[in-house]
Every structure is written in C-alpha cells, then in structure tokens.
Amino acid sequence: GVWLSGGIDSSAVAALAARILGRTVDAFSLEFEDPEYDEVGSTRTLDRFPGYDLRGHRTRHTDHDYHLYARGVWHGEELGRGSGSLRQTIAQLTASRVKVALAGEGSDEMLCGYGWYRENRRSAWLSRFLGAARRTTGWSSSKGGKERTLRIMGAQEGPGPERFQAATGPLWSESRRRLYSKELARAIRANPPPPPPTPSELARRHPVEWLQYWDITTRMHDHIVQTLDRHSMAWSIEVRVPFLDHEVAEWCLAMPPELKQARPEKRVLRRALTDDLPAEILQRPKRGLSGPSGRWLRGASPPFVEELLSPESLQAKGWFDPGQVSRLRKMHRDGGADRSRQLSAVLQVQVWDEIFLHGRSPDDFDVGAPR
C-alpha cells in the first residue's frame, strides 16, 4: 500500500508503485473535519483520477481523536511535533488492509523542498545589499517568512549548525523561554547543550548544502524517520521511504545547488514526473502535515487537557511557569492570537511527564466525548 496525500511526493510514490507492480495498490489517506487543515477532502488525490490503479481508503481525524493523543506520546517516547495522533490514525487504517506501505517522506530533505531553503536564498540575496546593516535589523516574534529570513541573516556565518537552527527553529523562541519555570531556565543556562561537530569539508560546500547537511543528519535522522517508524510499528506495519533509497539520495545530493533552489520548489521532481502525474497535482504547492490543535485548545478540551494545563499540575511538575501558560491560554481562547504551538508543546511535555516519569498508562487518560 501507499500513504497518499494531495501532494507531489506521495503521489509520485503511488503512481510509480502501481506502474511497477502492475496491479491495484491500496492508497490510504487522512482527512480532517476542519477544512483549514484538510488537503484530501477538498482536493482530488491521485486515487480519484482515472488511469491510476489505486484503491482509495480514507479515515477522518476529528476533534474527538484526543483519545489517540496520549497513545501518540507513548509510542513516540520522545518529545516531537505532536503529530503522533495523526500518524496513529492513518497507521491504524493501514494495518486493517496491508503489512507494508510506502510513504513520501525524505523528498523535502533530498530536494530542498522546505520553506527555509527559499528563505536562506532570500537572506543571501538581501545580505549583498544590506551589508553591515543586516546585523542591526530588528524584528518581532511574529510569524512568517520575512522574519525567518531576517533571523537567518543575523545568524553566524559559515557551515555550523547555528544557521540551520536559525532557519528551522520556532519563530516564538523568545516566548518559549518565558514559559520555562525559573528552575528549568537556570538548569538550561547552567548546562547548555554542546553544538554538534562540523565536518571541515563542509566549509567548501555551497550554503544551501550546509542547511541540507544539518537537515539530513539531525532533523530527518532524529525526528522524521524515527517518528514514522515508531508510529507505524505501533500497529505492526512497516512503512518504507523510496526517496531515501541510497541511489536516489546520492543522485539528489550531487545535484548543483542552483537546481536545488530553483522555483517552484522541487522543480526537478515536477519535471521528471510530467508524464506520470496530472498537471493539477504537479502544480500544487507544498503543504505539511499538521492537525487542528488551535481549535482543539480553543474549545471545550477533554478533562486530561484541563487537568495537565491547570496551574496546580504545572506547578507540581515544575517545567513551566503557570502564570505564563494561563495567560497564553486566555489569549488563545479569546481569539487575540494563535498560541496553539506553544500550548501544544506544553501539553506534550506534561503528558510525557505523566507517562514516563510517573508511570501513567496512556489508556488512563480521560478523553471526554466518544469518537
């Protein structure tokens, strides 16, 4: 089978798998009831086009799927983006039909498809004109590519990990530090994590290849592939990633930097698949996998969320400042600003603490309304 979204990566895998196997392939897709996040229900996926031998299966992730949240943390074991419940949903559907599925992960790392590659190029272009002023440019902690571009410009020059951290780190890093309890903040200041060693030969490479190196050796290695493995293995299925085949990876990494940065993103892949995919899919911009946590945290939350985000629980665990978290919750619920990323991160740490430090079973979490 294949995991199929509306984008080019999974569509490429699905089209080529069906052609090579010469038989019908099961395609598994995840819908959201919130149209803001859904790219499957509102657009045609490849299994809806004639001529592709795909048998579509769909599952809908709803506001009541909090029952998978704690299980996602349990199977993930480490702190991540909080997408565990999403992967749990599609892995459960897949396990009902097949034992092995293919996915499109790895394409963005191999072909520089993430937005920070474009922003790194923009920052280099601006640097040539702004010169010394680049380091004195001020910016707020608002969201958006322009702020990230300025932050990349202000990062340390050279192939070290600082530039990658500036490109990929959360835009709300200042407010994150304010969320820490005094004890945690002191511990972090006293024990800063050492930066990973930078290979000497990296200095001879193009700046976009610096980002790609750190992307592949840190984020992809420690998060993307690991998360995929853990949540699929939780349902006793194997999910494999053709874009990380060693011959594909070697070819992509040897590509000239100018081609890697060409617009639209992943232009080489789009051109290579001209005869294999419909133009409608080839022309779609990239959309990442994310759930409607903003709406979940704005409405009536399940009891375990209210419990773990309460001042009493936050104070007892000692990771976060209860007053800051309460202010963020009020701001988010009043509709003044979207603080779902910060609140989701706090909730995930709180759930992780309950499960791994206090022995609570993920089945014990009260999820409120049934699915």
Side-chain angles (χ1 to χ4, degrees):
V2 293
W3 283 8
L4 182 65
S5 70
I8 186 174
D9 301 334
S10 62
S11 298
V13 171
L16 297 176
R19 190 178 75 187
I20 292 169
L21 292 172
R23 61 171 174 80
T24 301
V25 173
D26 288 290
F28 304 95
S29 301
L30 181 63
E31 293 182 357
F32 293 96
E33 65 178 357
D34 187 338
E36 181 182 348
Y37 294 87
D38 184 47
E39 66 165 327
V40 171
S42 57
T43 59
R44 286 199 297 171
T45 47
L46 194 65
D47 56 317
R48 301 294 175 91
F49 287 84
Y52 294 92
D53 207 0
L54 300 171
R55 183 188 299 111
H57 308 279
R58 300 189 173 210
T59 186
R60 172 168 287 199
H61 196 272
T62 74
D63 284 358
H64 296 318
D65 280 324
Y66 265 118
H67 76 289
L68 289 173
Y69 189 92
R71 187 153 291 281
V73 175
W74 164 257
H75 287 298
E77 296 184 357
E78 298 177 358
L79 300 174
R81 288 188 308 168
S83 62
S85 64
L86 310 183
R87 297 192 183 278
Q88 288 285 302
T89 302
I90 194 167
Q92 182 178 12
L93 172 66
T94 306
S96 68
R97 305 282 307 191
V98 300
K99 277 295 181 185
V100 178
L102 306 178
E105 270 79 357
S107 171
D108 289 309
E109 288 80 10
M110 293 298 109
L111 294 164
C112 302
Y114 291 118
W116 53 74
Y117 289 103
R118 296 190 302 275
E119 288 147 15
N120 182 66
R121 182 183 185 183
R122 186 187 299 134
S123 72
W125 181 82
L126 286 173
S127 294
R128 291 199 296 269
F129 293 92
L130 297 180
R134 57 188 283 277
R135 294 198 177 276
T136 59
T137 301
W139 61 86
S140 67
S141 59
S142 59
K143 295 182 179 179
K146 290 182 180 178
E147 189 231 329
R148 195 181 295 279
T149 297
L150 291 171
R151 191 167 67 177
I152 296 172
M153 290 171 60
Q156 179 177 325
E157 292 286 355
E162 297 83 6
R163 199 170 184 85
F164 179 71
Q165 290 169 350
T168 62
L171 297 179
W172 44 274
S173 54
E174 286 299 325
S175 61
R176 177 182 62 182
R177 281 190 282 272
R178 288 195 296 270
L179 278 172
Y180 297 154
S181 67
K182 293 179 181 179
E183 294 77 11
L184 179 59
R186 277 198 299 267
I188 292 174
R189 285 195 299 270
N191 301 280
T198 302
S200 58
E201 62 269 23
L202 199 59
R204 299 190 293 271
R205 310 295 296 190
H206 189 278
V208 73
E209 294 175 312
W210 302 346
L211 288 187
Q212 196 173 22
Y213 171 82
W214 294 113
D215 203 354
I216 291 170
T217 57
T218 59
R219 187 175 178 276
M220 186 187 79
H221 178 273
D222 293 332
H223 172 61
I224 300 294
V225 176
Q226 187 179 115
T227 299
L228 186 71
D229 276 348
R230 290 183 176 182
H231 291 295
S232 57
M233 290 178 181
W235 290 93
S236 299
I237 60 172
E238 176 85 7
V239 177
R240 297 177 180 172
V241 280
F243 278 107
L244 296 183
D245 171 86
H246 75 94
E247 291 179 318
V248 176
E250 289 164 4
W251 189 90
C252 291
L253 294 175
M255 192 189 309
E258 293 74 21
L259 278 180
K260 295 178 183 181
Q261 295 186 107
R263 302 292 303 272
E265 76 274 1
K266 296 182 284 193
R267 188 172 75 181
V268 169
L269 180 62
R270 295 175 193 272
R271 289 190 174 183
L273 294 167
T274 300
D275 296 332
D276 297 287
L277 293 179
E280 179 182 327
I281 291 179
L282 285 172
Q283 295 165 6
R284 284 177 187 160
K286 173 180 172 54
R287 286 189 63 174
L289 176 65
S290 61
S293 56
R295 193 172 73 175
W296 291 347
L297 292 165
R298 186 166 282 131
S301 301
F304 84 86
V305 176
E306 296 298 330
E307 171 200 342
L308 294 179
L309 293 184
S310 69
E312 295 77 18
S313 177
L314 293 164
Q315 185 70 43
K317 294 187 182 303
W319 302 110
F320 302 104
D321 183 302
Q324 289 288 353
V325 175
S326 295
R327 280 189 283 276
L328 279 186
R329 293 197 76 191
K330 184 177 187 306
M331 189 184 304
H332 185 73
R333 284 181 162 172
D334 290 347
D338 185 350
R339 293 292 181 259
S340 57
R341 282 180 174 269
Q342 296 97 313
L343 292 171
S344 294
V346 171
L347 177 61
Q348 192 180 33
V349 173
Q350 292 287 95
V351 172
W352 176 88
D353 180 290
E354 282 288 291
I355 293 174
F356 290 103
L357 300 186
H358 291 88
R360 188 170 176 181
S361 167
D363 295 327
D364 293 341
F365 285 76
D366 186 349
V367 299
R371 186 175 182 181

